[in-house]
Amino acid sequence: MIQLKPYKQVTEKCKCGSNFIFEDILWQGLHVCEKSVCSGCGMTRILSLPVNQSLLEQYVYYPGEKRLFNMNDEEVKQNWFSSKLTAISEPDDSPVKVNIEVFEKHDEVVILNTLDYIYGHSLLFLLNLQRLIKSPGSPGIVVIIQPMMRWLVPEEGVAEIWTVDLGFRDFNRYHSVLSGRINEEFKRFGRAWLSSGHPLPTRENIKIELFTGIKPFDFNIQQTPRITFIWREDPDRLWIRNIFLLKVFKKLRLSAILFPFHLFRVSRYFRMIRRKLGSGYRFTAAGLGISGSLPSFVDDRRTRSFDEETERALCTIYSESILVIGVHGSSMILPSAHAGMAVSLMPSRRWGNFAEDILYTEEDVRLSAFQRRIIPLNLNLCDVRDITSDMIMGRDYFIKKFNHSEDL
């Protein structure tokens, strides 16, 4: 955690030899920053505090010179992450509505910032809450959230929820009015801390029902389970085996040409897995986008847009699924947490994001390896069919291999 009130400044000298004097905390969204000004030359320094993604990549930005440095004092080029920091140079002064909900009053609080420009990042930041919720008498927990995520915040154990009325794309910019409003709220507290907000929230299994109120799939309950494909239509999440072909068409803004191949592959997978497993399962497509017609036996639960009602309904679908499968990405986080088993199709050149979209629920590491799999997206359909069907049909036999007594 980082102490915000009273604030402890990062005490590094300016290149001119003078001291930087703390001026303000800036809340960009993904970045929370210390703004300070040199007492000698007047240079402004903006330092991203080591929380959220900045735990991995921390930067120093000098807006007057428009120069960006890493913590080794090496000048670096902009990337997807640092570009949100440099946006502070061109603030958006538009009004921003913030809804403050107070459930318990505390003089000392720890703040969990989940603001981000990507849904998956925000969701993973929020899951840090499982670690933060502690016994009575600990600092009150304040969660800063966006409207789409509000329904996932458990009110029990949380002191306050600050809902910022901005969408994910809005946090490509810096909203100065919002930053000032958050700082103004600090005046109510004697002491305030900022949670580290780890990008991967905990080494422990996430108890997803704490957030959604929906229990995961239970293998011990007799039911007709679903096999659910997690649907997305955006170009980066199409089931296209050749990543170079996908990138070329995306660059030419012709990705729509590839959509029929995605639709064919998903439909073909459903037909192949149904032929392999028989009629004892419900076959479901769930997710964002309704383009294209799926086979008539598929329960089509795709949606045009997300709101609390549709999100809850989809989480129920996931919890009824013995297996969910989909292309790697944030859309796999909630499905993997609720389903009995999960398969993430990993595109080429995305292996650096391994396991970031899968939440594990098993206590035994062998069962975890069996039930949560990450496989190359460019496998042929026969391989994908065989992997997923063997997971479903072979689970009970697999468990028998290491379910034994302690007898010598």
Side-chain angles (χ1 to χ4, degrees):
M1 294 191 298
I2 294 176
Q3 185 173 313
L4 290 181
K5 184 181 179 182
Y7 184 68
K8 291 186 176 180
Q9 182 184 359
V10 178
T11 55
E12 293 181 358
K13 288 186 178 293
C14 178
K15 294 177 182 179
C16 75
S18 301
N19 292 325
F20 280 103
I21 306 301
F22 172 72
E23 188 172 281
D24 207 358
I25 296 292
L26 305 182
W27 299 79
Q28 183 275 323
L30 179 55
H31 293 274
V32 182
C33 309
E34 172 195 292
K35 178 183 178 183
S36 54
V37 178
C38 176
S39 60
C41 66
M43 177 180 287
T44 296
R45 180 190 71 178
I46 297 175
L47 170 69
S48 62
L49 300 178
V51 296
N52 297 44
Q53 183 68 23
S54 290
L55 283 166
L56 310 178
E57 303 174 71
Q58 194 178 0
Y59 294 108
V60 181
Y61 179 52
Y62 297 96
E65 301 178 336
K66 296 191 181 302
R67 299 179 71 188
L68 184 73
F69 294 83
N70 61 24
M71 299 312 292
N72 294 323
D73 202 30
E74 300 167 335
E75 189 165 5
V76 295
K77 296 180 180 179
Q78 282 209 29
N79 57 34
W80 67 270
F81 175 58
S82 63
S83 63
K84 312 303 181 288
L85 175 63
T86 59
I88 289 174
S89 292
E90 299 178 1
D92 184 333
D93 299 327
S94 304
V96 178
K97 182 180 178 182
V98 181
N99 182 42
I100 306 292
E101 298 175 84
V102 179
F103 307 105
E104 299 176 358
K105 291 187 177 181
H106 289 261
D107 184 60
E108 182 175 354
V109 295
V110 55
I111 297 168
L112 177 62
N113 173 43
T114 72
L115 302 179
D116 202 284
Y117 78 110
I118 291 179
Y119 166 83
H121 295 176
S122 184
L123 176 55
L124 290 172
F125 296 150
L126 176 62
L127 297 179
N128 281 274
L129 196 57
Q130 180 171 298
R131 288 187 300 106
L132 294 178
I133 295 177
K134 297 179 180 179
S135 60
S138 61
I141 300 171
V142 175
V143 179
I144 307 179
I145 200 82
Q146 289 157 264
M148 185 178 177
M149 311 290 293
R150 169 62 184 85
W151 76 279
L152 289 166
V153 184
E155 295 179 2
E156 185 176 353
V158 174
E160 300 189 17
I161 301 174
W162 302 352
T163 305
V164 177
D165 193 14
L166 290 172
F168 294 109
R169 291 182 181 179
D170 292 318
F171 281 104
N172 284 299
R173 305 190 299 277
Y174 165 61
H175 300 270
S176 57
V177 174
L178 170 63
S179 184
R181 174 65 190 280
I182 293 175
N183 287 333
E184 186 68 22
E185 290 296 327
F186 284 171
K187 295 180 180 179
R188 296 190 283 113
F189 308 118
R191 296 174 68 86
W193 305 81
L194 181 61
S195 169
S196 296
H198 297 280
L200 295 180
T202 176
R203 295 185 183 91
E204 298 177 358
N205 291 335
I206 295 295
K207 296 178 173 58
I208 197 61
E209 61 268 33
L210 172 68
F211 298 91
T212 65
I214 298 170
K215 292 183 178 181
F217 183 88
D218 189 340
F219 285 96
N220 296 317
I221 296 178
Q222 293 294 322
Q223 56 184 300
T224 303
R226 297 180 184 271
I227 298 171
T228 300
F229 186 87
I230 306 304
W231 182 267
R232 284 177 67 170
E233 296 179 5
D234 45 315
D236 289 328
R237 296 299 183 267
L238 297 180
W239 194 353
I240 304 297
R241 293 175 64 189
N242 190 322
I243 190 172
F244 300 104
L245 183 67
L246 182 62
K247 286 182 177 296
V248 168
F249 276 82
K250 182 182 177 182
K251 189 172 184 178
L252 296 173
R253 298 184 179 181
L254 297 173
S255 301
I257 293 176
L258 297 175
F259 177 77
F261 295 94
H262 169 77
L263 179 64
F264 169 80
R265 190 169 293 277
V266 174
S267 299
R268 180 68 177 152
Y269 170 75
F270 272 127
R271 292 190 177 97
M272 292 173 71
I273 196 72
R274 184 191 188 211
R275 191 176 302 119
K276 181 85 171 181
L277 296 179
S279 58
Y281 300 88
R282 292 176 288 174
F283 301 91
T284 309
L288 184 62
I290 60 171
S291 300
S293 298
L294 294 165
S296 59
F297 65 86
V298 175
D299 183 10
D300 193 345
R301 298 300 185 96
R302 298 176 297 169
T303 182
R304 293 180 183 273
S305 61
F306 287 125
D307 56 28
E308 180 177 343
E309 182 179 355
T310 56
E311 285 263 64
R312 288 186 185 276
L314 286 177
C315 285
T316 299
I317 295 294
Y318 308 148
S319 71
E320 296 170 352
S321 302
I322 191 170
L323 181 138
V324 294
I325 177 173
V327 177
H328 161 86
S330 58
S331 58
M332 287 294 295
I333 298 175
L334 288 178
S336 68
H338 288 90
M341 298 185 283
V343 172
S344 177
L345 300 167
M346 181 66 78
S348 300
R349 299 191 176 183
R350 293 302 298 269
W351 289 96
N353 302 107
F354 185 87
E356 292 180 7
D357 62 334
I358 296 291
L359 294 183
Y360 294 84
T361 60
E362 300 82 5
E363 297 298 333
D364 190 293
V365 293
R366 294 165 297 185
L367 187 58
S368 177
F370 184 89
Q371 295 189 163
R372 315 284 155 183
R373 301 198 191 183
I374 301 167
I375 63 175
L377 178 144
N378 57 11
L379 288 179
N380 66 56
L381 279 172
C382 291
D383 287 331
V384 178
R385 175 204 60 194
D386 290 344
I387 290 170
T388 52
S389 62
D390 286 348
M391 288 172 68
I392 293 169
M393 294 187 298
R395 179 182 180 274
D396 289 344
Y397 187 73
F398 174 79
I399 291 175
K400 283 182 181 180
K401 295 178 183 179
F402 58 88
N403 269 359
H404 54 75
S405 68
E406 297 301 322
D407 293 341
L408 297 179

mmCIF file of all heavy atoms in Angstrom, residues 8-34:
data_model
loop_
_atom_site.group_PDB
_atom_site.id
_atom_site.type_symbol
_atom_site.label_atom_id
_atom_site.label_comp_id
_atom_site.label_asym_id
_atom_site.label_seq_id
_atom_site.Cartn_x
_atom_site.Cartn_y
_atom_site.Cartn_z
ATOM 1 N N LYS A 8 3.478 10.811 1.586
ATOM 2 C CA LYS A 8 4.936 10.733 1.706
ATOM 3 C C LYS A 8 5.537 10.855 0.314
ATOM 4 O O LYS A 8 5.456 9.931 -0.499
ATOM 5 C CB LYS A 8 5.353 9.421 2.364
ATOM 6 C CG LYS A 8 4.964 9.321 3.838
ATOM 7 C CD LYS A 8 5.529 8.067 4.474
ATOM 8 C CE LYS A 8 5.223 8.003 5.967
ATOM 9 N NZ LYS A 8 5.778 6.782 6.591
ATOM 10 N N GLN A 9 6.137 11.993 0.034
ATOM 11 C CA GLN A 9 6.656 12.272 -1.294
ATOM 12 C C GLN A 9 7.859 11.401 -1.632
ATOM 13 O O GLN A 9 8.653 11.026 -0.768
ATOM 14 C CB GLN A 9 7.072 13.746 -1.400
ATOM 15 C CG GLN A 9 7.590 14.145 -2.779
ATOM 16 C CD GLN A 9 8.083 15.582 -2.807
ATOM 17 O OE1 GLN A 9 8.016 16.282 -1.805
ATOM 18 N NE2 GLN A 9 8.574 16.026 -3.952
ATOM 19 N N VAL A 10 7.973 11.067 -2.941
ATOM 20 C CA VAL A 10 9.156 10.395 -3.442
ATOM 21 C C VAL A 10 10.266 11.441 -3.545
ATOM 22 O O VAL A 10 10.176 12.388 -4.320
ATOM 23 C CB VAL A 10 8.888 9.754 -4.819
ATOM 24 C CG1 VAL A 10 10.154 9.101 -5.356
ATOM 25 C CG2 VAL A 10 7.766 8.730 -4.724
ATOM 26 N N THR A 11 11.293 11.319 -2.741
ATOM 27 C CA THR A 11 12.298 12.389 -2.597
ATOM 28 C C THR A 11 13.499 12.142 -3.490
ATOM 29 O O THR A 11 14.537 11.641 -3.039
ATOM 30 C CB THR A 11 12.745 12.509 -1.131
ATOM 31 O OG1 THR A 11 13.211 11.220 -0.705
ATOM 32 C CG2 THR A 11 11.601 12.945 -0.243
ATOM 33 N N GLU A 12 13.390 12.480 -4.745
ATOM 34 C CA GLU A 12 14.523 12.451 -5.669
ATOM 35 C C GLU A 12 14.806 13.876 -6.129
ATOM 36 O O GLU A 12 13.891 14.689 -6.278
ATOM 37 C CB GLU A 12 14.218 11.565 -6.877
ATOM 38 C CG GLU A 12 14.082 10.093 -6.536
ATOM 39 C CD GLU A 12 13.805 9.259 -7.768
ATOM 40 O OE1 GLU A 12 13.681 9.854 -8.856
ATOM 41 O OE2 GLU A 12 13.704 8.031 -7.639
ATOM 42 N N LYS A 13 16.072 14.177 -6.358
ATOM 43 C CA LYS A 13 16.444 15.513 -6.770
ATOM 44 C C LYS A 13 16.265 15.695 -8.277
ATOM 45 O O LYS A 13 16.376 14.739 -9.054
ATOM 46 C CB LYS A 13 17.898 15.820 -6.381
ATOM 47 C CG LYS A 13 18.110 16.025 -4.886
ATOM 48 C CD LYS A 13 19.529 16.469 -4.586
ATOM 49 C CE LYS A 13 19.720 16.714 -3.098
ATOM 50 N NZ LYS A 13 18.920 17.869 -2.645
ATOM 51 N N CYS A 14 16.025 16.939 -8.672
ATOM 52 C CA CYS A 14 15.954 17.292 -10.084
ATOM 53 C C CYS A 14 17.364 17.232 -10.664
ATOM 54 O O CYS A 14 18.372 17.258 -9.950
ATOM 55 C CB CYS A 14 15.366 18.689 -10.227
ATOM 56 S SG CYS A 14 15.268 19.285 -11.946
ATOM 57 N N LYS A 15 17.465 17.195 -11.977
ATOM 58 C CA LYS A 15 18.768 17.173 -12.634
ATOM 59 C C LYS A 15 19.556 18.450 -12.389
ATOM 60 O O LYS A 15 20.788 18.463 -12.531
ATOM 61 C CB LYS A 15 18.582 16.925 -14.127
ATOM 62 C CG LYS A 15 18.030 15.542 -14.432
ATOM 63 C CD LYS A 15 17.789 15.332 -15.905
ATOM 64 C CE LYS A 15 17.197 13.942 -16.156
ATOM 65 N NZ LYS A 15 16.928 13.705 -17.594
ATOM 66 N N CYS A 16 18.848 19.530 -12.004
ATOM 67 C CA CYS A 16 19.549 20.784 -11.708
ATOM 68 C C CYS A 16 20.127 20.779 -10.296
ATOM 69 O O CYS A 16 20.830 21.712 -9.902
ATOM 70 C CB CYS A 16 18.601 21.974 -11.890
ATOM 71 S SG CYS A 16 17.375 22.169 -10.564
ATOM 72 N N GLY A 17 19.810 19.743 -9.525
ATOM 73 C CA GLY A 17 20.339 19.626 -8.175
ATOM 74 C C GLY A 17 19.387 20.068 -7.087
ATOM 75 O O GLY A 17 19.645 19.822 -5.901
ATOM 76 N N SER A 18 18.272 20.703 -7.445
ATOM 77 C CA SER A 18 17.302 21.176 -6.459
ATOM 78 C C SER A 18 16.292 20.086 -6.138
ATOM 79 O O SER A 18 16.193 19.059 -6.834
ATOM 80 C CB SER A 18 16.578 22.427 -6.980
ATOM 81 O OG SER A 18 17.502 23.462 -7.249
ATOM 82 N N ASN A 19 15.516 20.317 -5.091
ATOM 83 C CA ASN A 19 14.520 19.344 -4.657
ATOM 84 C C ASN A 19 13.201 19.540 -5.397
ATOM 85 O O ASN A 19 12.816 20.670 -5.733
ATOM 86 C CB ASN A 19 14.265 19.476 -3.153
ATOM 87 C CG ASN A 19 15.457 19.057 -2.329
ATOM 88 O OD1 ASN A 19 16.181 18.124 -2.693
ATOM 89 N ND2 ASN A 19 15.682 19.746 -1.218
ATOM 90 N N PHE A 20 12.512 18.427 -5.629
ATOM 91 C CA PHE A 20 11.141 18.494 -6.125
ATOM 92 C C PHE A 20 10.207 18.733 -4.939
ATOM 93 O O PHE A 20 10.360 18.111 -3.884
ATOM 94 C CB PHE A 20 10.754 17.200 -6.843
ATOM 95 C CG PHE A 20 11.273 17.117 -8.248
ATOM 96 C CD1 PHE A 20 12.373 16.328 -8.557
ATOM 97 C CD2 PHE A 20 10.663 17.830 -9.268
ATOM 98 C CE1 PHE A 20 12.851 16.242 -9.847
ATOM 99 C CE2 PHE A 20 11.133 17.756 -10.567
ATOM 100 C CZ PHE A 20 12.231 16.963 -10.857
ATOM 101 N N ILE A 21 9.234 19.608 -5.122
ATOM 102 C CA ILE A 21 8.244 19.924 -4.098
ATOM 103 C C ILE A 21 6.899 19.336 -4.527
ATOM 104 O O ILE A 21 6.402 19.617 -5.618
ATOM 105 C CB ILE A 21 8.108 21.444 -3.890
ATOM 106 C CG1 ILE A 21 9.473 22.079 -3.598
ATOM 107 C CG2 ILE A 21 7.121 21.737 -2.763
ATOM 108 C CD1 ILE A 21 10.171 21.531 -2.381
ATOM 109 N N PHE A 22 6.326 18.493 -3.662
ATOM 110 C CA PHE A 22 5.041 17.857 -3.972
ATOM 111 C C PHE A 22 3.954 18.894 -4.187
ATOM 112 O O PHE A 22 3.836 19.861 -3.453
ATOM 113 C CB PHE A 22 4.637 16.915 -2.841
ATOM 114 C CG PHE A 22 3.249 16.364 -2.993
ATOM 115 C CD1 PHE A 22 2.971 15.412 -3.956
ATOM 116 C CD2 PHE A 22 2.212 16.815 -2.181
ATOM 117 C CE1 PHE A 22 1.684 14.905 -4.106
ATOM 118 C CE2 PHE A 22 0.930 16.315 -2.314
ATOM 119 C CZ PHE A 22 0.662 15.351 -3.287
ATOM 120 N N GLU A 23 3.140 18.655 -5.231
ATOM 121 C CA GLU A 23 2.054 19.582 -5.544
ATOM 122 C C GLU A 23 0.681 18.928 -5.497
ATOM 123 O O GLU A 23 -0.259 19.498 -4.971
ATOM 124 C CB GLU A 23 2.281 20.202 -6.929
ATOM 125 C CG GLU A 23 1.302 21.327 -7.267
ATOM 126 C CD GLU A 23 1.694 22.035 -8.538
ATOM 127 O OE1 GLU A 23 2.608 22.888 -8.489
ATOM 128 O OE2 GLU A 23 1.078 21.752 -9.594
ATOM 129 N N ASP A 24 0.546 17.698 -6.042
ATOM 130 C CA ASP A 24 -0.796 17.112 -6.135
ATOM 131 C C ASP A 24 -0.699 15.625 -6.479
ATOM 132 O O ASP A 24 0.333 15.140 -6.945
ATOM 133 C CB ASP A 24 -1.589 17.834 -7.229
ATOM 134 C CG ASP A 24 -3.092 17.787 -6.996
ATOM 135 O OD1 ASP A 24 -3.525 17.156 -6.005
ATOM 136 O OD2 ASP A 24 -3.830 18.387 -7.797
ATOM 137 N N ILE A 25 -1.803 14.906 -6.211
ATOM 138 C CA ILE A 25 -2.002 13.547 -6.711
ATOM 139 C C ILE A 25 -2.899 13.641 -7.934
ATOM 140 O O ILE A 25 -3.946 14.296 -7.894
ATOM 141 C CB ILE A 25 -2.652 12.633 -5.652
ATOM 142 C CG1 ILE A 25 -1.731 12.469 -4.440
ATOM 143 C CG2 ILE A 25 -2.973 11.260 -6.256
ATOM 144 C CD1 ILE A 25 -0.470 11.696 -4.704
ATOM 145 N N LEU A 26 -2.490 13.024 -9.027
ATOM 146 C CA LEU A 26 -3.271 13.036 -10.262
ATOM 147 C C LEU A 26 -3.845 11.642 -10.503
ATOM 148 O O LEU A 26 -3.115 10.648 -10.471
ATOM 149 C CB LEU A 26 -2.404 13.447 -11.453
ATOM 150 C CG LEU A 26 -1.663 14.785 -11.353
ATOM 151 C CD1 LEU A 26 -0.895 15.048 -12.644
ATOM 152 C CD2 LEU A 26 -2.625 15.924 -11.054
ATOM 153 N N TRP A 27 -5.151 11.584 -10.734
ATOM 154 C CA TRP A 27 -5.847 10.322 -10.988
ATOM 155 C C TRP A 27 -6.221 10.278 -12.468
ATOM 156 O O TRP A 27 -7.230 10.834 -12.880
ATOM 157 C CB TRP A 27 -7.094 10.215 -10.117
ATOM 158 C CG TRP A 27 -6.813 10.233 -8.646
ATOM 159 C CD1 TRP A 27 -6.542 11.323 -7.875
ATOM 160 C CD2 TRP A 27 -6.760 9.107 -7.779
ATOM 161 N NE1 TRP A 27 -6.327 10.952 -6.579
ATOM 162 C CE2 TRP A 27 -6.457 9.593 -6.474
ATOM 163 C CE3 TRP A 27 -6.954 7.740 -7.952
ATOM 164 C CZ2 TRP A 27 -6.345 8.758 -5.374
ATOM 165 C CZ3 TRP A 27 -6.844 6.900 -6.858
ATOM 166 C CH2 TRP A 27 -6.547 7.404 -5.583
ATOM 167 N N GLN A 28 -5.376 9.611 -13.247
ATOM 168 C CA GLN A 28 -5.660 9.502 -14.677
ATOM 169 C C GLN A 28 -6.651 8.377 -14.954
ATOM 170 O O GLN A 28 -7.436 8.456 -15.891
ATOM 171 C CB GLN A 28 -4.349 9.264 -15.445
ATOM 172 C CG GLN A 28 -4.506 9.195 -16.966
ATOM 173 C CD GLN A 28 -4.896 7.820 -17.472
ATOM 174 O OE1 GLN A 28 -4.457 6.790 -16.951
ATOM 175 N NE2 GLN A 28 -5.748 7.778 -18.494
ATOM 176 N N GLY A 29 -6.642 7.379 -14.127
ATOM 177 C CA GLY A 29 -7.439 6.171 -14.340
ATOM 178 C C GLY A 29 -6.527 4.998 -14.080
ATOM 179 O O GLY A 29 -6.319 4.582 -12.932
ATOM 180 N N LEU A 30 -5.921 4.475 -15.139
ATOM 181 C CA LEU A 30 -4.948 3.397 -14.989
ATOM 182 C C LEU A 30 -3.737 3.864 -14.190
ATOM 183 O O LEU A 30 -3.142 3.095 -13.439
ATOM 184 C CB LEU A 30 -4.524 2.918 -16.374
ATOM 185 C CG LEU A 30 -3.489 1.802 -16.485
ATOM 186 C CD1 LEU A 30 -3.916 0.580 -15.713
ATOM 187 C CD2 LEU A 30 -3.265 1.446 -17.948
ATOM 188 N N HIS A 31 -3.358 5.131 -14.330
ATOM 189 C CA HIS A 31 -2.231 5.700 -13.602
ATOM 190 C C HIS A 31 -2.719 6.556 -12.433
ATOM 191 O O HIS A 31 -3.641 7.359 -12.584
ATOM 192 C CB HIS A 31 -1.383 6.591 -14.515
ATOM 193 C CG HIS A 31 -0.679 5.861 -15.602
ATOM 194 N ND1 HIS A 31 0.552 5.270 -15.431
ATOM 195 C CD2 HIS A 31 -1.038 5.611 -16.893
ATOM 196 C CE1 HIS A 31 0.934 4.701 -16.563
ATOM 197 N NE2 HIS A 31 -0.008 4.900 -17.464
ATOM 198 N N VAL A 32 -2.073 6.375 -11.278
ATOM 199 C CA VAL A 32 -2.196 7.319 -10.167
ATOM 200 C C VAL A 32 -0.801 7.910 -9.985
ATOM 201 O O VAL A 32 0.176 7.166 -9.855
ATOM 202 C CB VAL A 32 -2.665 6.632 -8.878
ATOM 203 C CG1 VAL A 32 -2.830 7.665 -7.754
ATOM 204 C CG2 VAL A 32 -3.989 5.898 -9.114
ATOM 205 N N CYS A 33 -0.707 9.238 -10.003
ATOM 206 C CA CYS A 33 0.597 9.887 -10.142
ATOM 207 C C CYS A 33 0.855 10.928 -9.052
ATOM 208 O O CYS A 33 -0.068 11.558 -8.534
ATOM 209 C CB CYS A 33 0.696 10.599 -11.501
ATOM 210 S SG CYS A 33 0.264 9.567 -12.904
ATOM 211 N N GLU A 34 2.123 11.091 -8.777
ATOM 212 C CA GLU A 34 2.591 12.204 -7.955
ATOM 213 C C GLU A 34 3.043 13.322 -8.887
ATOM 214 O O GLU A 34 3.921 13.113 -9.746
ATOM 215 C CB GLU A 34 3.768 11.766 -7.079
ATOM 216 C CG GLU A 34 4.433 12.914 -6.333
ATOM 217 C CD GLU A 34 5.786 12.535 -5.762
ATOM 218 O OE1 GLU A 34 5.812 11.711 -4.824
ATOM 219 O OE2 GLU A 34 6.810 13.057 -6.262
#
